[in-house]
Amino acid sequence: MGKVLKDVVCSFCGCLCDNLEIAVENGKINPVSRACKVSISRFVNYNKDRVPYPMIREKGGLVKTSLDEAINKAAEILSRANWPLIYGLSSSVCEAHRKCVELAELVGGVIDQTATVCHAPTILAFQEIGEIHATLGEIKNRSDLVIFWGCNPLDAHLNHFVRYSVTPKGLYISKGRKDRTVVAVDVRETRTTRVADIFLRIEPGKDYELLSVLRALINGKEIDLDKVAGVSMEEIRELAEKMVNCRYGVIFFGLGLTMSRGKHYNVMAALSLVRDLNKKTRFVIIPMRGHYNVKGAGVVLGWQTGYPFAVDFSRGYPRYGPGEFSAVNLLANGEVDAALILAADPAANFPVSASKHLARIPTVVIDPKISMTSLIADVVIPSAVSGIEAEGTAYRMDGVPIRLRKIIDPEPGVLADSEVLQLIIDRVKGVR
Amino acid sequence: METLDVVLITGRTDKQGVTLEIGKTSMDYYESVAVVELNEEDAEKLGLNENQPVKVETENGAVIVRCKYSKSVKPGLAFMPYGPWTSLLMTHNTEGISMPSYKGVKAKITPQEEKMKVLTIEEILDQFIRG
Ligand code: SF4
């Protein structure tokens, strides 16, 4: 076995586990310990399905070109456009996000990030109600009631249970799992609901009702119903009592709340419940963020433009417009006339009506790997995998910034995302 | 052919995460993401075998994927991993807040003959997105 590196950070999901042991030998990476199975796949396959060289579209097909040519073409597309869209960001590092903001301002475009199609409703609800927050370290050390609402960490954030929320022993949680009550609220049975102490199976689209009834109960109101959202009042009363009587409760919530009917209203109901619980005990609430640096994208946009997503620069100053300057809306309405996609794959995830427009307009993709979007792009520029071939800063789901390390050199000539963006910025400045 | 009304939920699975890192154009990704999970009772009602192609149809589109039996969804519910196949079924209407509804969407399930093909990513691009 080659050199074993300690405390390597995994740049896949919002858990940003920073305790991995990774062996590097002859250009191969092998996780030795603590990586979850998705992470193992990420490290072992980091060099598969890569964008092999810079490419531009000629006569319908993508052909090999030089980096210089690709940068020229990208700069030309963005400077010629009336209203370009810069989108993605969350699977890249904060250094690249800053460059994206600079570029958006320079070309008078819109910048949006993937939160727009996952936790946008959460961000809107935070702006409305506020957020009672803690780090995952605090949860590990103190939390005796852990509620997973509309999320399934055992499929999506595989180490969350063992590192932060369920099994670890903490300062005030001396027996680990035994000292915590775990509750899951979901519309379907999942790995997470199966290991929870209490599972409330809720009817789809009824989260708002259940959250509101819980809030009424903890505020001492009488409820004259047998069932709410498909859950018996007896079970709901039992949960309300557990919430009020715990020492330190936490709700982790996922797209089950944000993507279902009600969206930001669901999250507002959850935030209000947690706010009211703090009159009785200590309670916090944390969204389960998916991509490893989607939190960072919101942080960087927030500090650079004042707004966390859907920001337009066409008037020379930042304007915020969820639902108006959001990627899905702009594409589906055919409003933007060029796009730069950094480390994201809208063609695979957006409603097909939005992707169609993306295929019509000139699109630049910066990505280490082949994505569906790269297959419809006009310029594809390969980049180094952040956290493996390039360093940088990322924000964990609880807002803790963590430095990603470079553990292996990229192929010669392959640059980090931020370096590619800097070249495009320089070229745009030269072109104009 | 008999059709069943369901509520469609999309979400992440660990297999999807693992195969994503192998590559979006890989067979592994195709096999683990181009599927719909149905309750056994529902599948039996439709006379569906495990892995048989089914059409999932919403107001916005239709797609053929393979059926998986599942105990985790109750009758009347269907689950699909997010990805290119679900993107064919979703509306771009974001109700003014930037995000389309990806969960809790009304859908119809219709069994298909074994010879009906599940589209690959390339085919989805060609038939629905390009041109
Ligand atoms: S839980 Fe997430 S960050 Fe941690 S090792 Fe797994 S994929 Fe990586």
Side-chain angles (χ1 to χ4, degrees), chain A residues 136-144 163-164 167-176 179-180 247-248:
Chain A
L136 293 171
E138 234 186 295
I139 305 303
K140 171 184 162 184
N141 284 316
R142 295 172 190 273
S143 193
D144 57 343
R163 243 171 91 67
Y164 306 117
T167 51
K169 293 188 174 129
L171 209 52
Y172 301 101
I173 304 286
S174 58
K175 296 201 217 72
D179 278 346
R180 305 185 207 260
R247 277 182 296 131
Y248 194 117

Side-chain angles (χ1 to χ4, degrees), chain A residues 267-383:
Chain A
V267 184
M268 277 160 61
L271 297 178
S272 307
L273 169 64
V274 169
R275 180 192 57 200
D276 290 2
L277 276 164
N278 276 277
K279 292 182 208 150
K280 320 256 176 191
T281 182
R282 172 74 176 150
F283 229 99
V284 301
I285 180 160
I286 301 177
M288 300 288 270
R289 307 304 299 269
H291 294 292
Y292 77 85
N293 198 21
V294 63
K295 174 76 186 172
V299 169
V300 174
L301 257 70
W303 112 61
Q304 298 243 317
T305 74
Y307 309 112
F309 68 103
V311 185
D312 170 46
F313 277 103
S314 64
R315 293 196 183 161
Y317 56 88
R319 293 187 302 157
Y320 183 39
E324 184 182 7
F325 306 137
S326 307
V328 170
N329 297 86
L330 292 172
L331 289 169
N333 296 339
E335 289 175 296
V336 284
D337 57 350
L340 180 142
I341 310 296
L342 171 70
D345 198 4
N349 302 307
F350 279 9
V352 67
S353 44
S355 304
K356 261 188 191 153
H357 186 66
L358 196 60
R360 269 197 295 267
I361 59 178
T363 299
V364 181
V365 167
I366 305 173
D367 207 304
K369 292 215 174 196
I370 302 272
S371 63
M372 267 179 89
T373 313
S374 70
L375 299 176
I376 56 167
D378 298 88
V379 180
V380 185
I381 305 176
S383 64

Side-chain angles (χ1 to χ4, degrees), chain A residues 10 12-17 20 34-36 38-39 157-160:
Chain A
C10 168
F12 181 84
C13 83
C15 284
L16 276 182
C17 298
L20 274 45
R34 303 203 186 94
C36 73
V38 177
S39 177
H157 296 86
L158 275 65
N159 277 348
H160 197 276

Side-chain angles (χ1 to χ4, degrees), chain A residues 245-268:
Chain A
N245 293 327
C246 74
R247 277 182 296 131
Y248 194 117
V250 58
I251 297 180
F252 289 105
F253 68 100
L255 304 183
L257 275 193
T258 68
M259 281 187 172
S260 308
R261 190 171 141 245
K263 295 177 186 171
H264 56 307
Y265 286 101
N266 298 334
V267 184
M268 277 160 61

